[in-house]
């Protein structure tokens, strides 16, 4: 099962992709996570991506298409994968079509998780993630029992450098200008579905499971 999760920053696609990946035993391919790892490692890709990520802009299509092309060749993607945060431009969607065709693969579902933009700013600026196990938290909706510490594994919680209000607003406008057109790219295909990301997390998860069967 090959899936694409779309939606504005903060809609919950990363959190949901993580849970769906676990349920269906397929990897979550998050270009954001891969780029953050590259920045942290100081690799060539990381050095090229850093400035765009810090400002909330997009990293070049060439870089992200290269990353995804390499990643879907890995053995753990043979049984399917979830693309989380890719494609983010029409050019990336077109490049993905070529990559899939070359590998005789197809996308089974493109799921757009929708949300209201003002709610997104509040959601993103309150969130943190465990640096050890990846569990997500939010200062209003899901605060950890002990500040800064993961309830699940005791790891330290970290806040993303680009989760500040100014950068979030830029990420939202970049989404409207460059990523929203990708929805039109997929909308007319039979595999496109929408899920209301304003529901609580469990309800969003259930809606996704209903679609995936
Ligand atoms: P995310 O974790 O998906 O919110 O991504 C964080 C940042 O990584 C974005 O704001 C972009 O700077 C960059 N990024 C992630 N995925 C892509 C993509 N498909 N195309 C371009 N830039 C991306």
């Amino acid at each position: 099962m090959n899936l694409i999760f779309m939606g504005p920053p903060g809609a919950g696609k990363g959190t949901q992709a993580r849970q769906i990946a676990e349920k269906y035993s397929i990897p979550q391919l998050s270009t954001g996570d891969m780029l953050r790892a590259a920045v942290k490692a100081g690799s060539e890709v990381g050095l090229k991506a850093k400035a765009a990520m810090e400002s909330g802009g997009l990293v070049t299509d060439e870089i992200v298409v290269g990353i995804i092309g390499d990643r879907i060749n890995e053995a753990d993607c043979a049984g399917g994968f979830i693309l989380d945060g890719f494609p983010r431009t029409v050019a990336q969607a077109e490049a993905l079509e070529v990559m899939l065709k070359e590998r005789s693969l197809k996308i089974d579902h493109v799921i757009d998780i929708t949300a209201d933009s003002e709610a997104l700013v509040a959601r993103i600026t309150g969130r943190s993630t465990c640096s050890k196990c990846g569990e997500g938290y939010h200062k209003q909706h899901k605060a950890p029992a002990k500040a800064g510490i993961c309830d699940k594994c005791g790891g330290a919680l970290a806040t993303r450098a680009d989760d500040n209000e100014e950068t979030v607003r830029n990420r939202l406008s970049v989404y409207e200008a460059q990523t929203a057109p990708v929805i039109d790219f997929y909308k007319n295909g039979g595999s496109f579905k929408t899920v209301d990301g304003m529901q609580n997390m469990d309800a969003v998860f259930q809606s996704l499971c209903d679609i995936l069967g």
Side-chain angles (χ1 to χ4, degrees):
M1 187 161 63
N2 302 321
L3 310 173
I4 297 178
F5 279 13
M6 296 197 58
K13 53 185 187 310
T15 309
Q16 297 295 339
R18 193 161 163 264
Q19 291 187 56
I20 293 290
E22 200 176 313
K23 175 167 175 175
Y24 291 90
S25 300
I26 51 175
Q28 170 192 9
L29 312 187
S30 157
T31 40
D33 285 349
M34 292 184 235
L35 290 166
R36 277 185 288 282
V39 169
K40 202 169 168 195
S43 68
E44 200 186 325
V45 163
L47 293 175
K48 285 184 186 158
K50 195 169 188 271
M53 292 177 77
E54 278 173 357
S55 69
L58 292 184
V59 173
T60 64
D61 292 333
E62 195 192 348
I63 290 180
V64 289
V65 167
I67 291 179
I68 286 293
D70 290 345
R71 186 64 185 87
I72 61 176
N73 285 340
E74 287 178 31
D76 64 336
C77 291
F81 50 79
I82 307 174
L83 295 174
D84 161 17
F86 179 92
R88 250 178 163 101
T89 64
V90 172
Q92 291 176 22
E94 287 167 346
L96 176 63
E97 295 286 295
V98 175
M99 280 191 256
L100 294 170
K101 208 166 173 196
E102 283 168 356
R103 293 162 178 82
S104 302
L105 296 173
K106 70 172 185 59
I107 296 294
D108 299 289
H109 299 281
V110 179
I111 303 178
D112 182 33
I113 305 179
T114 58
D116 169 82
S117 54
E118 271 317 302
L120 293 175
V121 176
R123 271 194 195 181
I124 297 179
T125 52
R127 71 185 182 180
S128 58
T129 309
C130 175
S131 47
K132 212 162 136 195
C133 75
E135 183 72 4
Y137 291 87
H138 191 280
K139 67 181 177 201
Q140 271 127 30
H141 315 298
K142 189 185 163 191
K146 203 169 160 197
I149 304 291
C150 178
D151 293 344
K152 276 196 163 171
C153 75
L157 302 187
T159 305
R160 275 171 51 171
D162 60 350
D163 277 355
N164 60 76
E165 184 161 349
E166 190 191 340
T167 310
V168 169
R169 291 201 184 275
N170 193 29
R171 283 158 63 199
L172 288 170
S173 56
V174 166
Y175 173 82
E176 282 307 323
Q178 301 198 59
T179 308
V182 180
I183 293 173
D184 294 327
F185 182 92
Y186 289 117
K187 220 170 195 166
N188 297 323
S191 55
F192 184 83
K193 311 265 169 7
T194 301
V195 165
D196 177 9
M198 296 304 288
Q199 306 174 87
N200 68 47
M201 283 200 312
D202 292 345
V204 176
F205 182 66
Q206 193 48 55
S207 306
L208 291 168
C209 294
D210 291 345
I211 290 173
L212 303 177

